[in-house]
Amino acid sequence: MKVIAVIPARLASTRLPRKMLREIRGRPLIVWVYQAVRSSPTLNDVIVATDSEEILEACAKYACNGHMTSSKHRSGTERVREISQSVDADLYLNVQGDEPMIQAAHITALVELMQDTSIPVGTLRTPASAEDIGNPNAVKVVTDLNNRALYFSRSTIPYDRDGSQPHYFKHLGIYAYRKPVLERFVILHESSLERAERLEQLRFLENGIPIYAAETPCDSIGVDTEEDLARVLKILSK
């Protein structure tokens, strides 16, 4: 398969202002993500999709492949779809621009999942650490026995009513799409669950589009807050 990774990146973040350009050991966050994704041998290309001239300039400075996209997009998935209109591929990966600890192993696991051509959307899950189980910035996912996602939530799911200590899984911010499902996504309205949780993947589930989540032992940290940034700085400084 021809596989393209797209990193949607906007500057207008609210919880951590201008986070894509926040520096980690001298390099902007978006550059860390690009270089981490670029390390994967399974990819044909990596593209930063942005509507910010500043992000585009940062990409050029560090030899990252940046493309300017529309400022009217409501989600990262819509930005990936725009790239799919001009760059042909069998599979489009959507890697969140705030995932500097993404690894080649994550991408390999996701591409292997998508070898099953019946899967329209794929993503990853990993065992949740104790500090992530109750953290609303760490999205949790529950799946059926075939790894099909039942729900994603910022809440702690499943709820442990009787102290049975269930396994909790954290959702990682990376997806794989086939082009037809991207075309369908952009004509769907924002769903009620998506609006409540601020999780765009719920639009797929509410509209009956299955998402499969492969399990990986490799964790990652999405940078949404100053606390997240501090955690990443501590780890990457080692």
Side-chain angles (χ1 to χ4, degrees):
M1 293 189 295
K2 182 179 180 181
V3 185
I4 302 296
V6 182
I7 306 171
R10 63 189 185 95
L11 205 53
S13 54
T14 53
R15 284 179 291 176
L16 185 60
R18 297 173 59 83
K19 69 178 177 180
M20 292 299 162
L21 296 180
R22 294 290 293 269
E23 288 199 353
I24 299 175
R25 298 183 64 192
R27 283 179 286 164
L29 173 62
I30 187 62
V31 173
W32 277 92
V33 178
Y34 180 92
Q35 293 174 343
V37 175
R38 183 73 272 184
S39 71
S40 170
T42 62
L43 298 174
N44 296 88
D45 201 0
V46 181
I47 299 169
V48 174
T50 186
D51 59 1
S52 164
E53 289 286 354
E54 287 184 76
I55 291 177
L56 206 62
E57 289 171 7
C59 288
K61 180 179 178 181
Y62 290 91
C64 303
N65 183 13
H67 286 213
M68 183 63 76
T69 53
S70 172
S71 61
K72 297 180 181 179
H73 293 315
R74 300 168 296 172
S75 68
T77 307
E78 291 185 2
R79 214 170 289 283
V80 174
R81 186 260 182 180
E82 180 179 337
I83 294 296
S84 77
Q85 301 303 291
S86 57
V87 181
D88 188 51
D90 299 299
L91 202 61
Y92 296 90
L93 270 56
N94 176 352
V95 183
Q96 305 300 297
D98 56 9
E99 292 276 353
M101 294 181 63
I102 210 80
Q103 301 175 37
H106 291 127
I107 295 168
T108 298
L110 187 54
V111 172
E112 286 179 353
L113 171 71
M114 299 303 289
Q115 297 295 326
D116 182 344
T117 56
S118 68
I119 296 177
V121 184
T123 191
L124 296 179
R125 61 181 178 141
T126 192
S129 66
E131 62 185 318
D132 281 333
I133 290 172
N135 178 5
N137 293 314
V139 176
K140 274 66 69 177
V141 58
V142 290
T143 62
D144 68 13
L145 297 178
N146 295 313
N147 295 322
R148 179 170 170 167
L150 299 173
Y151 194 64
F152 299 86
S153 182
R154 297 184 183 280
S155 295
T156 302
I157 54 173
Y159 176 69
D160 187 11
R161 193 190 74 165
D162 298 320
S164 60
Q165 298 182 334
H167 294 293
Y168 294 98
F169 286 94
K170 173 184 168 183
H171 175 233
L172 302 183
I174 178 171
Y175 303 87
Y177 311 113
R178 304 191 194 279
K179 192 168 184 178
V181 81
L182 285 172
E183 296 298 325
R184 185 177 175 194
F185 179 86
V186 297
I187 63 174
L188 296 173
H189 295 294
E190 182 184 57
S191 70
S192 59
L193 293 175
E194 174 189 8
R195 191 178 308 114
E197 297 254 21
R198 301 315 306 165
L199 298 174
E200 65 183 87
Q201 64 267 40
L202 292 176
R203 191 186 311 182
F204 289 106
L205 296 190
E206 276 201 88
N207 284 279
I209 301 170
I211 300 176
Y212 285 79
E215 184 177 344
T216 174
C218 307
D219 196 2
S220 180
I221 298 174
V223 178
D224 289 310
T225 64
E226 291 285 356
E227 290 75 19
D228 294 333
L229 186 61
R231 285 176 67 191
V232 168
L233 277 166
K234 184 176 180 180
I235 293 169
L236 295 181
S237 292
K238 298 177 181 178

